[in-house]
Amino acid sequence: MTVREAVKSALYGLYVSRLRNKLRDATPPRHVGMIIDGNRRWANSQYGVSVAEGHEAGANKMREFLHWCDQAGVENVTLYLLSTDNLTGRSDSELNNLVRIIAELAADLARVPGWRVHHVGDTAKLPESLRSALVTATEATAHHSGLHINLAVGYGGRHEITEAVRDIIREHEAAGLGIDTLADDMLWQSAHSELYFVEALGPDLREIDFFRALRDFAQRQRRFGT
């Protein structure tokens, strides 16, 4: 490591520590959704790196990301990993590697003490090996009470909307509420979602990018339509 690189690394560490301290008393979001993007572009920008290695790097970054969320006090995280479009829009070789990488990721997350893994998506079109890995991770962590991780695999716009509506209806029934409040509640849930975009490709995501997102969330003024 050169002197310049050492100084840059030290300054980065100080900045991360400063942001972490500033956010210590801030209330984190209860639920964070992460759409994974850029693994193939990242691989193509690296000399001698295959697309499979790009997806591996992205999965490793998601392991880091989940630990950042857990340490920050986030309760629920949804990782969007493989959509129904991805199942038909990639080569067999790339898809096979993705299936293996996601299955390994699910198994690894299920081994973290306290973490709860849950699959979100349609299993009908998933290969048996991946379907089995997701079921195993879900069942093995069903009674855990720590960070709740939703792995969105085999999801799509129609399926996601259908499942969201079903969940809202179940919550209404459990609470003894009438159908007249259902539409208002659906609009309320979508209106309170907040978006944050990071320019970094998936494997290049840094802890400082995560802290900046939390800082942005903490600084936003929410009027909720008032």
Side-chain angles (χ1 to χ4, degrees):
M1 180 182 292
T2 66
V3 173
R4 182 177 181 181
E5 289 173 338
V7 171
K8 185 177 180 180
S9 177
L11 291 175
Y12 174 79
L14 288 173
Y15 186 33
V16 169
S17 296
R18 183 182 177 187
L19 272 179
R20 183 186 292 113
N21 290 332
K22 282 188 174 181
L23 292 166
R24 195 175 302 277
D25 296 326
T27 302
R30 292 185 59 190
H31 179 230
V32 171
M34 168 65 79
I35 299 176
I36 316 303
D37 191 30
N39 293 340
R40 275 190 292 183
R41 280 177 288 156
W42 181 87
N44 291 332
S45 70
Q46 310 294 311
Y47 179 75
V49 175
S50 67
V51 172
E53 291 172 319
H55 289 309
E56 290 272 13
N60 288 334
K61 184 59 64 174
M62 288 306 100
R63 291 174 172 89
E64 288 185 66
F65 175 75
L66 290 168
H67 281 285
W68 300 340
C69 289
D70 196 16
Q71 292 166 6
V74 176
E75 298 176 8
N76 304 277
V77 179
T78 298
L79 300 181
Y80 291 87
L81 300 174
L82 188 68
S83 70
T84 51
D85 290 337
N86 294 146
L87 290 169
T88 57
R90 299 175 186 267
S91 67
D92 290 342
S93 175
E94 183 177 1
L95 187 57
N96 289 337
N97 282 316
L98 271 172
V99 166
R100 173 184 57 80
I101 291 168
I102 294 173
E104 291 174 354
L105 176 63
D108 287 346
L109 299 183
R111 296 189 188 100
V112 179
W115 284 7
R116 181 183 176 188
V117 179
H118 180 70
H119 171 234
V120 178
D122 187 359
T123 60
K125 296 182 180 180
L126 299 181
E128 175 57 31
S129 60
L130 180 53
R131 184 163 55 240
S132 176
L134 292 169
V135 170
T136 298
T138 298
E139 292 179 347
T141 62
H143 301 294
H144 292 181
S145 58
L147 181 67
H148 187 167
I149 305 164
N150 296 308
L151 299 182
V153 183
Y155 68 92
R158 177 177 296 180
H159 179 269
E160 193 170 14
I161 292 172
T162 300
E163 288 302 308
V165 171
R166 285 175 178 169
D167 286 343
I168 294 171
I169 292 174
R170 293 189 193 105
E171 291 174 3
H172 266 67
E173 291 178 344
L177 299 176
I179 194 67
D180 55 327
T181 64
L182 186 57
D184 290 338
D185 188 60
M186 290 175 64
L187 291 173
W188 179 87
Q189 292 201 20
S190 62
H192 290 187
S193 298
E194 304 201 26
L195 303 177
Y196 186 87
F197 298 91
V198 179
E199 293 184 2
L201 300 177
D204 287 332
L205 187 70
R206 304 168 300 170
E207 189 175 15
I208 196 171
D209 298 316
F210 174 69
F211 283 136
R212 284 171 174 167
L214 293 184
R215 181 181 61 184
D216 181 85
F217 176 82
Q219 292 175 344
R220 292 185 183 184
Q221 295 183 352
R222 298 166 182 82
R223 298 175 60 89
F224 302 117
T226 60

